[in-house]
Amino acid sequence: MEVEKVGSCVVIHMKLGENRLNPAFISAFHDALDEAEAYEDATSLVTMGEGKFYSLGLDLTALGALSAMEMQQFAYDLQKLLLRLLTFPLVTVAAINGHVYAAGVFIALAHDHKVMRSERGWWCLNEIHIRRNFTVGVLEMAKALLPQSELRYSVVLGRRYTGEEARAAGIVDEVCPLAQLKSVAMAAAVRLAGKDGLDRKTLSAIKHDLYRDVVRVLSEPTRTYSLL
Amino acid sequence: MFRLSLRSRSSLLHRLGFCGLRRASENVPLRRCTVEKVDQCVVVRLVSENKENRVNPEFLDAFHKALDQVESYEDAVSMVTTSEGKHFSLGLELELLAGSSYSEFMKYMSDVQDLFRRLFTFPLVTVAAVNGHIYAAGALLGLCHDHIIMNNSKGFFCLPEVNLRLNFPVGWTEILKARLPQRELKAAVVLGKRYGGMEAERAGIVDELAPPETLREAAIAAAGRLAGPGLDRKTVSALKHDLYRDIVLAMSEPPKYYSHIPIIS
């Protein structure tokens, strides 16, 4: 992962191909977030993938090689990463440069503002197509952060959205061509953070409290409501 | 409280007339219930004798039997439910409410809740093709489906409970809050606003419109769009059970009201 500082905005470039979620990815992400927070004059964060992918979700191959204990630890670590992003003390903008699938969607959802590229790339919670259920933590995230009218289409029926469709459905906030994505995302980040930025402690506390129920379930051991 | 006097019973029925609904006669048998398979979609058409499709014991029984038949088709991935003529469903059989004892009332509402719960968690994609008026419990029935496609010229979507001096049981408002846009709740749920098809679609209450002549085909097409051919029933069921967890729990509890309105006038 590459961390780039542009004025008061820190840009994290996720450069691990499909940016699939595994222990190494989570560890690298935390390091990048630490670096971002360490800049005392940073007021906002942009995360962006590279090439065709923002994030395709869980690295099922790598996770298949883990022991049961390691898998349980990973699941909990993923929740902790989502929790950290959701309550991050900087304004956060996801610059969705390409495909964002399954667990990758929740990385994006944890941001304050989402910009997605137009013309190419899909947003999809494809769990239904691969016969998987959502854990309680991310399901509650979906219910809190997705438009209510889209829940049954996106969460249950695995509907696939282009950038424009996602914008129309209220799933992402802005859409633009790839060439402008980084600058549009940074402009949004700067605009939302304001001239002097927002007080970190207050920002984090308000996020914590607004999403209290989500924070609670993300802090608990991973489980599903229904077994599949 | 549930045994009404003769005076209040006729008053209740008068209110039915006031709202422009025909007087419901006694528990009428289902004139026709057809279950028709179209590729991987199954079309269920329920039509009562008086065409009002009141959600009464006969209707519930026929619906459950139809759902059993739908589930028995192993390669089916979606279901369309529809009716014929002026009405999709006008809701509860108010005569049954007016003339029932407490335990009869509880049994009736409990059975209705069972159907709602079964529909909400149905292991196939569900599409309601609304051919006409969709009122009260009939509207709730429609909202139990994944997708509502309404005809664009005939019939209204309406929750007229306030005009009938009826409250919603606990849990039914959970369904309304989960499935209606928040900004419509006051108008639709509290004030009993009547929406024509086009207005309902604009308001986000129904999801799609179609001309009445092609409603059935449009519903089947919508079902095909929403349901991949390899849809796994266990997964669909688990996902719906979890997304609608609060509704499932509410529908599993005995019927009750937060605020009770005596139906006695």
Side-chain angles (χ1 to χ4, degrees):
Chain A
M1 295 223 187
E2 216 176 80
V3 179
E4 179 196 356
K5 184 124 180 315
V6 186
S8 61
C9 181
V10 182
V11 182
I12 293 179
H13 295 271
M14 303 184 292
K15 290 185 162 185
L16 291 96
E18 293 179 350
N19 289 325
R20 285 196 178 262
L21 309 178
N22 53 37
F25 181 93
I26 292 185
S27 176
F29 212 132
H30 276 298
D31 290 342
L33 291 174
D34 291 341
E35 221 183 301
E37 277 191 82
Y39 288 111
E40 278 173 24
D41 60 334
T43 60
S44 60
L45 171 77
V46 170
T47 63
M48 189 162 158
E50 193 188 44
K52 283 189 2 185
F53 309 104
Y54 181 80
S55 172
L56 288 189
L58 295 180
D59 184 349
L60 294 171
T61 324
L63 297 179
L66 297 181
S67 70
M69 286 286 289
E70 286 169 332
M71 186 58 219
Q72 208 170 13
Q73 182 64 47
F74 168 78
Y76 190 60
D77 288 341
L78 177 55
Q79 286 185 188
K80 282 202 300 197
L81 174 64
L82 291 172
L83 181 52
R84 185 178 183 188
L85 274 172
L86 187 64
T87 57
F88 205 63
L90 303 176
V91 168
T92 53
V93 178
I96 304 170
N97 56 290
H99 297 306
V100 59
Y101 268 64
V105 162
F106 295 104
I107 298 281
L109 268 188
H111 290 67
D112 297 323
H113 191 80
K114 297 173 283 298
V115 187
M116 187 163 174
R117 82 170 283 193
S118 51
E119 327 111 50
R120 292 178 73 149
W122 283 315
W123 187 108
C124 182
L125 290 168
N126 63 332
E127 273 76 354
I128 187 182
H129 304 300
I130 54 176
R131 305 192 180 187
R132 294 179 71 90
N133 198 355
F134 294 92
T135 57
V136 170
V138 296
L139 183 63
E140 293 304 319
M141 264 186 87
K143 283 158 71 176
L145 299 167
L146 287 173
Q148 185 181 265
S149 55
E150 287 303 316
L151 279 177
R152 59 198 186 277
Y153 298 111
S154 55
V155 171
V156 178
L157 300 181
R159 181 177 163 186
R160 207 169 60 178
Y161 300 78
T162 62
E164 283 97 349
E165 287 168 348
R167 166 72 187 87
I171 284 169
V172 303
D173 305 295
E174 285 184 80
V175 73
C176 69
L178 180 64
Q180 299 158 26
L181 184 67
K182 187 178 168 193
S183 54
V184 169
M186 288 198 326
V190 163
R191 188 180 71 238
L192 293 168
K195 196 165 56 74
D196 305 314
L198 303 169
D199 175 63
R200 293 189 180 193
K201 279 217 187 72
T202 313
L203 187 58
S204 190
I206 294 179
K207 289 186 191 184
H208 234 97
D209 293 0
L210 180 63
Y211 301 121
R212 203 164 127 252
D213 296 324
V214 177
V215 166
R216 192 188 69 242
V217 291
L218 285 176
S219 312
E220 289 169 356
T222 311
R223 64 188 171 105
T224 52
Y225 287 127
S226 298
L227 291 176
L228 194 57
Chain B
M1 199 164 321
F2 292 87
R3 179 75 67 189
L4 300 190
S5 69
L6 214 58
R7 178 174 151 258
S8 53
R9 185 182 142 112
S10 63
S11 160
L12 173 68
L13 295 175
H14 181 205
R15 280 181 245 139
L16 283 181
F18 177 75
C19 287
L21 299 170
R22 279 200 306 122
R23 175 178 173 146
S25 51
E26 70 291 336
N27 213 347
V28 289
L30 242 35
R31 186 175 75 164
R32 185 160 65 249
C33 168
T34 58
V35 177
E36 181 198 346
K37 191 149 179 295
V38 181
D39 288 332
Q40 288 186 280
C41 180
V42 189
V43 180
V44 171
R45 182 187 321 218
L46 294 156
V47 187
S48 67
E49 193 65 53
N50 66 1
K51 309 242 194 139
E52 288 182 358
N53 270 353
R54 295 260 170 195
V55 183
N56 57 34
E58 219 100 28
F59 177 91
L60 292 170
D61 189 57
F63 211 136
H64 277 296
K65 288 202 171 73
L67 293 177
D68 292 339
Q69 200 177 338
V70 172
E71 284 192 77
S72 74
Y73 294 116
E74 278 173 21
D75 63 331
V77 296
S78 60
M79 172 178 77
V80 168
T81 59
T82 190
S83 185
E84 240 176 48
K86 270 179 61 174
H87 309 294
F88 176 80
S89 170
L90 292 186
L92 297 177
E93 191 82 75
L94 290 173
E95 284 254 356
L96 281 180
L97 285 185
S100 61
S101 66
Y102 179 69
S103 60
E104 285 165 352
F105 165 81
M106 289 290 274
K107 173 80 173 63
Y108 180 29
M109 298 295 263
S110 200
D111 289 344
V112 174
Q113 289 187 178
D114 281 347
L115 179 65
F116 287 172
R117 189 180 63 241
R118 185 176 183 188
L119 274 175
F120 250 108
T121 58
F122 203 60
L124 276 63
V125 171
T126 53
V127 177
V130 179
N131 52 288
H133 291 305
I134 178 168
Y135 269 62
L140 278 138
L141 195 68
L143 291 170
C144 293
H145 292 68
D146 295 320
H147 190 77
I148 303 177
I149 176 168
M150 188 162 175
N151 87 81
N152 60 10
S153 50
K154 302 185 307 179
F156 292 106
F157 178 103
C158 181
L159 297 159
E161 272 75 356
V162 67
N163 295 308
L164 299 173
R165 300 187 200 175
L166 294 169
N167 195 1
F168 297 92
V170 168
W172 294 36
T173 36
E174 296 310 308
I175 294 176
L176 296 171
K177 285 191 289 184
R179 288 288 278 108
L180 295 177
Q182 192 187 41
R183 69 184 171 283
E184 294 299 328
L185 284 177
K186 188 65 71 72
V189 179
V190 177
L191 302 174
K193 177 175 170 177
R194 221 167 51 166
Y195 298 79
M198 292 186 59
E199 199 182 356
E201 197 264 348
R202 227 174 13 243
I205 286 173
V206 304
D207 306 300
E208 207 181 324
L209 292 174
E213 317 81 51
T214 51
L215 179 66
R216 182 177 166 278
E217 288 68 36
I220 294 171
R225 235 172 27 238
L226 294 168
L231 207 78
D232 175 61
R233 293 185 181 192
K234 276 217 195 74
T235 314
V236 174
S237 190
L239 289 170
K240 287 189 185 183
H241 254 96
D242 290 0
L243 180 66
Y244 297 126
R245 195 155 163 271
D246 296 329
I247 291 171
V248 169
L249 288 171
M251 291 296 105
S252 309
E253 286 176 5
K256 58 181 182 284
Y257 293 89
Y258 283 127
S259 300
H260 200 92
I261 304 163
I263 312 181
I264 312 165
S265 63

